[in-house]
Amino acid sequence: MTIVSLAKPLLSNGFTLSSAPDRLGRLEPTDPTRPRAALWEQFQAQGYLWLKGLLDRSAVLDFRRRYFAALRETGLLAPGTDPVEGRYAGGGENREAVHRITVEVTRWAAYESFCLATPIWRFYETLFEGPVYLHKRKILRHTRPGSASCTGAHYDLTYLRGGTDRVCTSWIPIGDIPVELGGLVYLEGSDAVGRRLEAEFAARNAHLPPEERISAYNRNMSEAGWLTKDLPALADRIDARWLIADYEAGDMVVHSAYMIHAATLNTDPAGRLRLSTDIRYQRATDAIDARWSEHWSPTDML
Ligand SMILES: O=C(O)CCC(=O)C(=O)O
């Protein structure tokens, strides 16, 4: 097993992943042009596919430019920089305006079109062997360098219990996201763990009223539906490694609804903002979680 060594500590919500290098590994890249059977087999075995260069890199960077250009007046970006760089001003931005505009962008036709890029839906049509559905609730996230918090460990079905469990997430880096910008990290082999945990939650939730039973925020779940913020302890508990990657604009990661993942902090020395989107696809004929049929809003409690 190759030991991953990093120039800088890898941090997540106050915990240091890099202090146990034997608990770190690298995500396996996949060529998206491989035959369907090979892709399916790999997806079943890993719980994810890191599809290299599926998307047109320049189209992805164009969207990055548009996104940060829309936020220029808020003071988020360093003055005089090209929005495509997403270079953080370092503080003092109008947070209310940043928030409002980010929500607005999720309503843009240009964003919708980005999420419906032909290579994405074609990929899913091939994988699922039939017509596919894209959930309307789509999330765009930027993370600031120096921020102390990031996404905790979870699996996505926690938030999508009202439909099929064959739903898949596309996590798309909008710009290059090398490890120091704090991209997603995946717990190796954790699809099976997610399935086990979900069976336990289902048993515990069985007596709750239907609406509460499927909620990520019900009395049996922890904060925000996360399993934990302590990624090293979780890796020890299930004897697994966190898989990291240097993502590039044009890549797309697909993960199963049970695959456990989290993010790390953005510690980019060049001060770039991390930008990504996470969107969900499924077979059009499978049950759809109706709660996801509206645009994302920060108060939608999903
Ligand atoms: O981008 C993030 O920090 C979280 C994304 C995520 O949890 C997901 O893609 O399911």
Side-chain angles (χ1 to χ4, degrees):
M1 184 195 305
T2 327
I3 298 286
V4 174
S5 78
L6 296 169
K8 279 176 43 175
L10 186 62
L11 309 166
S12 184
N13 292 311
F15 296 94
T16 309
L17 274 85
S18 44
S19 52
D22 56 326
R23 289 276 179 232
L24 282 183
R26 297 242 173 223
L27 218 59
E28 187 67 34
T30 292
D31 174 354
T33 64
R34 292 184 78 198
R36 189 257 168 206
L39 292 171
W40 182 249
E41 195 184 318
Q42 196 181 7
F43 181 63
Q44 296 292 100
Q46 296 181 159
Y48 73 88
L49 291 173
W50 174 22
L51 301 167
K52 290 300 299 172
L54 176 78
L55 303 170
D56 175 19
R57 178 177 171 85
S58 65
V60 174
L61 293 178
D62 277 353
F63 188 75
R64 180 177 173 87
R65 179 178 283 105
R66 260 172 180 271
Y67 177 85
F68 285 122
L71 289 161
R72 201 177 354 219
E73 303 305 317
T74 65
L76 183 72
L77 298 186
T81 56
D82 184 340
V84 76
E85 291 175 43
R87 210 166 286 269
Y88 184 43
E93 68 273 23
N94 177 343
R95 290 214 172 211
E96 186 280 323
V98 170
H99 196 68
R100 178 175 44 76
I101 293 167
T102 300
V103 172
E104 274 168 27
V105 178
T106 62
R107 275 75 171 155
W108 283 1
Y111 173 57
E112 179 103 352
S113 153
F114 180 87
C115 297
L116 280 167
T118 306
I120 306 180
W121 65 258
R122 282 241 167 92
F123 166 80
Y124 278 115
E125 276 209 353
T126 304
L127 193 74
F128 291 154
E129 299 182 303
V132 296
Y133 172 80
L134 169 64
H135 284 259
K136 182 167 178 181
R137 184 175 187 272
K138 307 188 228 35
I139 307 173
L140 265 168
R141 308 174 200 249
H142 66 248
T143 63
R144 296 166 173 82
S147 166
S149 59
C150 56
T151 305
H154 67 281
Y155 57 91
D156 288 358
L157 198 72
T158 307
Y159 306 97
L160 282 146
R161 290 186 172 128
T164 179
D165 68 350
R166 301 199 294 179
V167 60
C168 283
T169 296
S170 277
W171 184 80
I172 305 176
I174 306 178
D176 294 339
I177 306 186
V179 170
E180 61 270 22
L181 258 82
L184 285 199
V185 292
Y186 288 88
L187 196 56
E188 190 174 26
S190 63
D191 178 279
V193 180
R195 284 173 199 273
R196 224 167 38 237
L197 291 173
E198 185 58 17
E200 287 168 22
F201 281 128
R204 256 191 282 158
N205 291 341
H207 69 284
L208 298 177
E211 218 174 278
E212 211 191 318
R213 194 180 309 147
I214 59 171
S215 167
Y217 303 94
N218 72 34
R219 64 192 88 160
N220 293 326
M221 304 297 298
S222 66
E223 180 208 356
W226 292 349
L227 299 169
T228 180
K229 289 183 185 174
D230 188 344
L231 306 190
L234 182 60
D236 282 345
R237 196 157 75 233
I238 70 160
D239 191 18
R241 302 182 301 167
W242 284 101
L243 305 179
I244 61 174
D246 291 315
Y247 302 102
E248 295 176 290
D251 297 350
M252 177 173 94
V253 190
V254 176
H255 61 249
S256 82
Y258 293 106
M259 189 70 189
I260 297 174
H261 55 284
T264 56
L265 293 183
N266 181 348
T267 58
D268 183 33
R272 286 165 300 173
L273 290 139
R274 186 203 105 176
L275 180 62
S276 62
T277 189
D278 40 288
I279 58 178
R280 275 89 197 161
Y281 272 90
Q282 63 170 79
R283 288 173 181 85
T285 46
D286 277 347
I288 293 169
D289 189 330
R291 300 170 305 164
W292 282 64
S293 302
E294 295 302 329
H295 283 300
W296 166 73
S297 124
T299 53
D300 63 16
M301 288 300 285
L302 280 174

